[in-house]
Amino acid sequence: MSMNPTINRLQGDMPKIGIRPVIDGRRGGIRESLEEPTMNMAIACAKLLSDNLRHSNGLPVECVIADTTIGGVAEAARAAEKFRKQGVGLTITVTPSWCYPLETMDTDPHMPKAIWGFNGTERPGAVYLAAALAAHNQKGLPAFGIYGRDVQDIGDGSIPRDVQAKLLQFAKAGLAAATMRGKSYLALGTVSMGIAGCIADETFFQNYLGMRNEYVDMSEFVRRIERGIYDRDEYERALAWTRENCRIGADPNPPGFIRSEEQKAQDWETMVKMALIARDLMVGNAKLAELGYEEEAMGHNAIAAGFQGQRAWTDHFPNGDFMEAMLTSSFDWNGIREPYMLATENDNLNAVTMLFGHLLTNRAQIFADVRTYWSPEAVRRVTGQDLTGRAAEGVIHLINSGAAALDGTGRQTEDGQPVMKPFWDITESEVRDCLEATQWRPAVDFFRGGGFSTDFTTRGGMPLTMARINLIRGVGPVLQLAEGYSVELPEDVHDTLDQRSNPTWPTTWFVPNLTGEGAFRDVYSVMSHWGSNHASVSYGHVGAELITLAAMLRIPVSMHNVDPERLFRPSYWSAFGADDPQGADYRACAALGPLYG
């Protein structure tokens, strides 16, 4: 494995953004007068995106500008061919003027597309924008329309803030969609404890995400452990790092269930090997070819994966919590690096949601059970204390089996506030703080094969977005999300509530932002409307970005609390009911069908 943290560890180049400067093709003074301002718009757009965006692996985002302005179908075809050769995955069309929409448009049905029509009066780009969006809608090729609020003078090279925000929001979502295309989801095992989210629906992955499905039985872990199919040098280094950095917490099991120190030492050796093997199964490892395992060295080109674990594995072997927690964190024995998206219990729908969040934010994600709603009255009854501050109307206990990314401790900071950072901004001292805030507790009795789980409490005050994709018969995939904040409870209150669930697992106390209506009438309503036992949690209020990506993929949103001013969908959606945006979302997605279907 390369030690360079900013690498593309998957097959295929990173997608690029294609910039299409379109122009009024009429010669004799019209086109000639527009050549420079049109191309300057394209250059400014490309600079904005390249200066402000990075891929989730840390590599720079590249823009490809058409060789010439596009005034007609021949130049449009020429640009499309250049983009194909350059690996463009999304396009942004820019113009300050009227152009001929049908002759200049991007007609690739799988390419997310946006159009920035300059708000000016000399050669009104807004007129082109309206006509071009109408043409796209008529052809069923939805495009995101970008139009500044304030009139600018032609030749003004600045990009207004509102235009910048939409360009970046579109580009982030478009890059996410393009990055997933052609990659794999790797199921390590099958269905865990009857959870429907473990069923890998190939139609969903193929038609909505452009991904393929790969499957490996969990017995492959046993084969690789017993035959030594892993980097032995890295294993020794990883085991030493683990012994030095993973703090062991108290054993909660009754005497008859406590494993011996020898058994626990063996568990650690197995768990470290599991982490190496899961990573190698996902993305490959050239070191294995040197050991004579050329096939295993290739991996499955998996941008996301899930480990079944319970119960077929955990009734006999150590649990997968260490493997999942360390791989989904932004660091390990090799240093600081991009997190892997590896879901507990092979919940592939949560894995996809984690993947969405990671590609949009470049940060690690928290895998969580949506475990309990604690009302103020219930907290008062069991603790004798009142909830205060953001928690005053109740909290949702997000707590899983110990596999959440250690970034979720909130021990990374910015301006003194807790954050979860892109890996390239994380410092070595922050890594130590995350590890110091985490205890590894011997697994509880229903993990009969032993193992260890993480125990930490997320720091309060972090803006978070909880999200989940569910598959619904008669509809298909739907996305739900809730923006809110992490909160900290008084230590004695936390301990009392935590003991009633599982004190060996990581806790995030979450309070959603309330609107007073519908699913966000109160905290209880959010819990009541949640469509699954799991959620993925992203740092930041990124609901708008998730909704933009969902629209690209034709996935409707069943519940959200995002300010309408932040929503950004293709203009096609408004034709299905501008005054009923949620209903329009369902109707537009149904009419278009999945992006790759």
Side-chain angles (χ1 to χ4, degrees):
M1 299 289 291
S2 171
M3 296 298 292
N4 179 2
T6 53
I7 59 169
N8 177 12
R9 58 197 182 201
L10 297 166
Q11 304 303 312
D13 295 332
M14 301 308 297
K16 299 174 184 176
I17 303 173
I19 311 296
R20 308 177 70 255
V22 299
I23 198 167
D24 188 330
R26 291 173 288 186
R27 302 283 182 172
I30 297 176
R31 176 166 182 161
E32 292 84 352
S33 68
L34 293 167
E35 289 281 4
E36 185 175 354
T38 302
M39 189 57 78
N40 285 343
M41 272 185 78
I43 294 168
C45 179
K47 184 177 189 310
L48 170 77
L49 300 176
S50 296
D51 287 351
N52 288 277
L53 297 176
R54 290 171 79 168
H55 292 290
S56 62
N57 56 21
L59 293 173
V61 168
E62 297 181 56
C63 294
V64 178
I65 301 175
D67 290 334
T68 66
T69 55
I70 300 168
V73 66
E75 289 160 324
R78 202 175 300 150
E81 180 64 9
K82 178 180 183 179
F83 291 170
R84 185 187 66 80
K85 292 178 178 178
Q86 293 276 339
V88 164
L90 60 151
T91 64
I92 300 176
T93 297
V94 303
T95 187
S97 71
W98 166 257
C99 312
Y100 293 3
L102 293 175
E103 297 181 22
T104 59
M105 67 192 296
D106 166 17
T107 57
D108 186 330
H110 297 153
M111 193 82 72
K113 47 187 108 294
I115 306 171
W116 171 24
F118 186 80
N119 186 357
T121 55
E122 291 90 344
R123 296 282 185 183
V127 178
Y128 165 76
L129 176 61
L133 291 174
H136 281 79
N137 294 344
Q138 188 168 331
K139 287 178 169 289
L141 299 170
F144 291 78
I146 301 173
Y147 179 60
R149 181 174 291 274
D150 300 315
V151 172
Q152 294 177 263
D153 299 327
I154 197 165
D156 182 350
S158 65
I159 305 179
R161 286 191 177 276
D162 60 330
V163 172
Q164 289 185 36
K166 288 186 174 181
L167 286 170
L168 291 168
Q169 187 167 328
F170 166 80
K172 280 192 283 190
L175 286 168
T179 300
M180 289 185 285
R181 187 177 181 183
K183 306 302 191 303
S184 303
Y185 174 82
L186 175 61
L188 300 166
T190 57
V191 174
S192 172
M193 300 186 298
I195 298 172
C198 307
I199 303 169
D201 186 311
E202 294 215 2
T203 299
F204 165 61
F205 278 94
Q206 178 178 318
N207 291 355
Y208 284 89
L209 309 180
M211 291 174 59
R212 66 196 303 160
N213 294 82
E214 292 282 288
Y215 305 89
V216 173
D217 190 89
M218 289 186 293
S219 63
E220 177 66 5
F221 283 84
V222 180
R223 183 179 80 93
R224 294 195 183 203
I225 289 172
E226 293 185 352
R227 301 192 181 194
I229 307 175
Y230 51 86
D231 183 339
R232 287 80 176 277
D233 293 335
E234 183 183 3
Y235 163 68
E236 294 295 340
R237 186 175 71 252
L239 184 61
W241 181 92
T242 299
R243 287 171 173 161
E244 181 180 350
N245 292 282
C246 294
R247 298 170 56 229
I248 308 300
D251 193 327
N253 291 296
F257 289 89
I258 294 178
R259 294 166 71 81
S260 68
E261 291 305 311
E262 182 179 356
Q263 287 174 313
K264 290 177 180 178
Q266 180 63 51
D267 287 351
W268 277 111
E269 294 176 7
T270 301
M271 292 188 307
V272 170
K273 292 173 184 175
M274 288 168 63
L276 299 178
I277 290 167
R279 181 204 62 198
D280 293 349
L281 283 164
M282 288 181 70
V283 301
N285 186 346
K287 184 71 173 181
L288 302 185
E290 298 175 19
L291 299 174
Y293 296 101
E294 290 86 355
E295 182 182 359
E296 290 84 348
M298 299 298 291
H300 291 265
N301 200 33
I303 197 170
F307 179 71
Q308 176 193 334
Q310 299 186 73
R311 288 179 44 208
W313 182 269
T314 57
D315 277 2
H316 185 62
F317 294 104
N319 64 12
D321 289 0
F322 174 82
M323 169 182 66
E324 293 157 0
M326 289 314 309
L327 289 179
T328 58
S329 298
S330 300
F331 48 85
D332 60 17
W333 44 89
N334 287 324
I336 299 168
R337 46 92 180 123
E338 181 186 11
Y340 295 81
M341 296 299 106
L342 178 60
T344 302
E345 294 161 348
N346 193 31
D347 183 349
N348 57 84
L349 295 179
N350 221 52
V352 169
T353 315
M354 293 168 67
L355 180 59
F356 283 11
H358 175 56
L359 294 176
L360 290 171
T361 69
N362 301 331
R363 304 166 200 255
Q365 305 293 297
I366 300 173
F367 183 108
D369 284 355
V370 185
R371 184 60 66 99
T372 311
Y373 163 67
W374 278 100
S375 68
E377 295 76 16
V379 172
R380 188 181 307 117
R381 178 178 62 81
V382 301
T383 69
Q385 297 191 45
D386 290 323
L387 295 174
T388 60
R390 280 199 177 105
E393 296 186 53
V395 295
I396 295 176
H397 196 179
L398 302 178
I399 175 172
N400 79 346
S401 62
L406 303 193
D407 305 58
T409 58
R411 265 59 181 186
Q412 300 160 19
T413 59
E414 191 171 275
D415 298 326
Q417 298 301 308
V419 299
M420 294 169 63
K421 295 180 177 180
F423 74 88
W424 55 81
D425 288 334
I426 298 172
T427 66
E428 293 289 349
S429 64
E430 288 172 332
V431 170
R432 290 193 295 271
D433 289 343
C434 291
L435 290 164
E436 186 64 26
T438 305
Q439 288 190 356
W440 294 87
R441 305 283 296 277
V444 291
D445 54 5
F446 55 75
F447 288 124
R448 298 172 184 173
F452 287 79
S453 300
T454 57
D455 179 15
F456 65 75
T457 304
T458 301
R459 288 181 65 190
M462 291 202 297
L464 300 174
T465 302
M466 181 172 79
R468 168 75 184 186
I469 290 173
N470 295 302
L471 289 180
I472 309 298
R473 180 167 181 172
V475 180
V478 298
L479 173 70
Q480 58 180 171
L481 62 90
E483 294 183 339
Y485 288 88
S486 62
V487 296
E488 291 182 55
L489 304 183
E491 187 173 352
D492 54 344
V493 174
H494 166 85
D495 289 343
T496 299
L497 304 186
D498 204 35
Q499 289 289 338
R500 293 175 67 106
S501 183
N502 192 312
T504 71
W505 294 349
T507 282
T508 302
W509 297 110
F510 177 73
V511 176
N513 296 337
L514 301 177
T515 65
E517 299 177 349
F520 293 91
R521 182 173 62 255
D522 50 31
V523 180
Y524 171 81
S525 296
V526 175
M527 179 77 179
S528 178
H529 282 82
W530 204 253
S532 174
N533 55 311
H534 291 153
S536 173
V537 183
S538 291
Y539 176 83
H541 289 158
V542 294
E545 288 81 357
L546 284 164
I547 291 170
T548 294
L549 175 57
M552 285 181 183
L553 302 173
R554 322 291 165 71
I555 299 173
V557 182
S558 61
M559 63 177 273
H560 73 82
N561 57 347
V562 179
D563 185 331
E565 292 297 316
R566 295 168 52 208
L567 298 182
F568 190 33
R569 292 183 171 113
S571 67
Y572 182 90
W573 266 240
S574 63
F576 290 83
D579 293 331
D580 176 23
Q582 186 173 44
D585 187 22
Y586 276 81
R587 292 186 287 272
C589 289
L592 288 168
L595 179 58
Y596 306 107

